Amino acid sequence: MNTAPRIGIIGSGAIGGFYGLMLARAGFDVHFLLRSEFTAVASQGLRVNSAVHGELHLQPVQAYQSVTDMPLCDWLLVGAKTTSNAELAPLIIQAAAPGAKVVLMQNGLAVEDELRPLLPDSLHLLGGLCYICAHRSAPGVVEHQSLGNVNLGYHSGPAADAESRQQLLEQGCDLFKTAGLDSIAMAELNQARWQKLVWNVPYNGLAVLLGSATTALMGHSESRALIQAIMQEVVEAARACGYPLPEGFAGKLLAATDRMPDYLPSMYHDFMLKRPMELHAIYAAPLAAAANAGCAMPRTQMLYQTLCFLEQRAR
């Protein structure tokens, strides 16, 4: 009996394209649901120009324009932006095999909480925290600058006890490890999401507002000080919400960013291409959680309000 999992990719931009290609390259049975990029990927394949792994090309690609043409998948990796989650729910349901594992490889807070009511109870829902510098440069083409590890946390579903949840998480981590990517099972998903927000909140918003990538932001004393202050604000909010982060966590992220290649976060690309920015998941949700815990985030609030203005004006 063949027990190899069938993997579906929903949202094949930078995240879905990179991880889907890496998994397919490792020998997994991977299927891609595409919309605007279908014609390009079906004819030319998927490409990842990676500073880490070299120039990678997947051709042919098991690509589909309609979810009704896809086979049912045991694992569904959702790489689409959080702004489209409500409309993705019916696609996830149609593509999911019985008892499928759905992994939201998205930024922000509470994204699983908001999608869960739209899915049947029989599906496992996981969060996937992607630590990667990558962006899409053309239909079916991903530029990968560095990193690529994925941490997984269990949100909800049929796995009722800690042991079965841990076993399922380790199965997911093994998929990525087989593809040559680091992956860790996280005991507390919300804590992992707050950790990622410590980086995402300052750099995404400031990249848009100041039109600058990480090297310039880190190289100016005032912008660097602002980044550090915003990071600490997020750390304090996480603590107030019951998710204390490791001592000196913000400083470690600053040092890690110093070592990164010059990088423009995903929100910058969304803004420049006039796509909706993930303002709710990255800003509104953590602001609401912090306020509910009695914790003010004035700098984060300012970022959110100015980004809302820019997005409304762009529309």
Side-chain angles (χ1 to χ4, degrees):
M1 180 178 177
N2 183 15
T3 58
R6 179 181 289 141
I7 302 170
I9 309 292
I10 297 181
S12 299
I15 295 298
F18 174 81
Y19 290 105
L21 183 147
M22 294 296 288
L23 289 163
R25 183 168 168 260
F28 291 107
D29 183 18
V30 184
H31 300 261
F32 297 80
L33 181 63
L34 302 157
R35 290 186 177 177
S36 60
E37 300 192 22
F38 173 78
T39 301
V41 171
S43 61
Q44 302 169 28
L46 268 173
R47 293 186 181 275
V48 171
N49 301 318
S50 174
V52 179
H53 307 285
E55 293 188 6
L56 309 177
H57 185 210
L58 179 64
Q59 175 75 312
V61 178
Q62 297 185 111
Y64 310 86
Q65 200 165 19
S66 171
V67 69
T68 57
D69 297 329
M70 280 182 73
L72 300 182
C73 296
D74 306 299
W75 288 82
L76 287 170
L77 309 185
V78 180
K81 297 289 185 180
T82 57
T83 51
S84 60
N85 275 2
E87 62 191 65
L88 288 177
L91 305 179
I92 293 170
I93 293 169
Q94 291 182 73
K101 281 71 71 175
V102 180
V103 184
L104 297 189
M105 303 176 77
Q106 300 175 324
N107 288 323
L109 190 68
V111 290
E112 295 84 9
D113 294 344
E114 294 173 8
L115 186 64
R116 178 77 264 182
L118 306 178
L119 301 179
D121 294 340
S122 59
L123 297 182
H124 301 273
L125 185 58
L126 291 74
L129 290 302
C130 305
Y131 294 87
I132 185 170
C133 295
H135 68 278
R136 188 186 68 167
S137 58
V141 182
V142 178
E143 309 298 330
H144 174 227
Q145 293 173 260
S146 67
L147 306 176
N149 50 309
V150 185
N151 295 341
L152 300 181
Y154 194 90
H155 180 269
S156 56
D161 58 89
E163 183 179 353
S164 57
R165 293 182 179 188
Q166 181 67 19
Q167 185 178 24
L168 189 148
L169 288 173
E170 289 176 0
Q171 290 174 10
C173 291
D174 286 344
L175 298 179
F176 294 107
K177 290 177 181 177
T178 302
L181 303 166
D182 291 337
S183 186
I184 298 173
M186 303 295 289
E188 176 51 69
L189 176 58
N190 281 332
Q191 183 164 21
R193 288 209 165 274
W194 274 108
Q195 283 184 353
K196 198 156 190 286
L197 282 168
V198 177
W199 196 95
N200 275 323
V201 168
Y203 288 103
N204 274 283
L206 292 176
V208 173
L209 293 176
L210 303 180
S212 296
T214 53
T215 299
L217 291 172
M218 296 294 284
H220 190 277
S221 60
E222 293 299 331
S223 55
R224 187 185 184 97
L226 178 57
I227 289 166
Q228 188 167 11
I230 295 170
M231 281 185 166
Q232 193 56 41
E233 195 173 86
V234 179
V235 168
E236 291 167 4
R239 184 185 300 113
C241 291
Y243 303 106
L245 304 185
E247 190 70 28
F249 186 71
K252 291 177 182 178
L253 284 188
L254 280 172
T257 307
D258 279 329
R259 297 190 298 269
M260 279 171 43
D262 196 23
Y263 180 60
L264 284 164
S266 60
M267 190 171 287
Y268 175 87
H269 295 286
D270 290 338
F271 178 71
M272 295 303 293
L273 294 171
K274 301 189 185 307
R275 297 190 298 239
M277 294 184 285
E278 296 181 288
L279 300 182
H280 176 76
I282 295 178
Y283 292 100
L287 280 167
N292 191 52
C295 180
M297 302 178 71
R299 295 177 181 86
T300 303
Q301 182 73 36
M302 186 236 18
L303 277 179
Y304 175 58
Q305 290 170 321
T306 52
L307 290 165
C308 285
F309 170 82
L310 288 177
E311 180 157 80
Q312 184 176 13
R313 186 173 66 175
R315 289 179 179 175

